[in-house]
Amino acid sequence: MQTARFFIGQVVCHRMYPFRGVIFDVDPEFDNTEEWYNSIPEDVRPRKDQPFYHLFAENAESEYIAYVSEQNLLPDETGVPVRHPQIGEIFDGPVDGSYRLKGTHRN
């Protein structure tokens, strides 16, 4: 099992598709349905044996929840806040380019 390269609260962007988001959870390896996995075109389907990240995501048209493999993420260097409406429920910020868990959500 691989150690996660990104952290909760970090702003990331997709390597191939035009969306970005804030990480709110991490799975050490793939933990979604086979139906979801098989819906990804085979030529771009990620390996299952890597961390997968849950994102409060946005693109030019909408906000949504995304589930993305580590190999398809890059740090977002824009410094622009993410507009997803659920961010304020568990995070404060952004502060220095990332979001901080609110006190009630820390373990």
Side-chain angles (χ1 to χ4, degrees), residues 54-100:
H54 300 261
L55 308 178
F56 290 131
E58 67 179 22
N59 61 27
E61 294 84 36
S62 66
E63 298 82 32
Y64 52 96
I65 302 294
Y67 190 64
V68 186
S69 65
E70 185 167 274
Q71 74 187 53
N72 285 321
L73 290 176
L74 297 168
D76 181 271
E77 305 291 339
T78 65
V80 176
V82 177
R83 68 178 186 273
H84 195 287
Q86 289 177 275
I87 290 173
E89 293 174 18
I90 62 171
F91 291 109
D92 289 322
V95 176
D96 298 327
S98 64
Y99 291 80
R100 306 283 186 253

Side-chain angles (χ1 to χ4, degrees), residues 17-81:
Y17 299 111
F19 73 87
R20 58 198 287 271
V22 177
I23 296 168
F24 69 88
D25 197 10
V26 182
D27 294 333
E29 57 186 26
F30 179 78
D31 190 23
N32 205 333
T33 66
E34 284 303 308
E35 179 182 12
W36 182 91
Y37 187 74
N38 291 327
S39 73
I40 301 169
E42 194 170 342
D43 62 324
V44 295
R45 195 174 295 157
R47 298 180 338 272
K48 290 183 177 181
D49 65 340
Q50 63 180 312
F52 275 72
Y53 299 83
H54 300 261
L55 308 178
F56 290 131
E58 67 179 22
N59 61 27
E61 294 84 36
S62 66
E63 298 82 32
Y64 52 96
I65 302 294
Y67 190 64
V68 186
S69 65
E70 185 167 274
Q71 74 187 53
N72 285 321
L73 290 176
L74 297 168
D76 181 271
E77 305 291 339
T78 65
V80 176

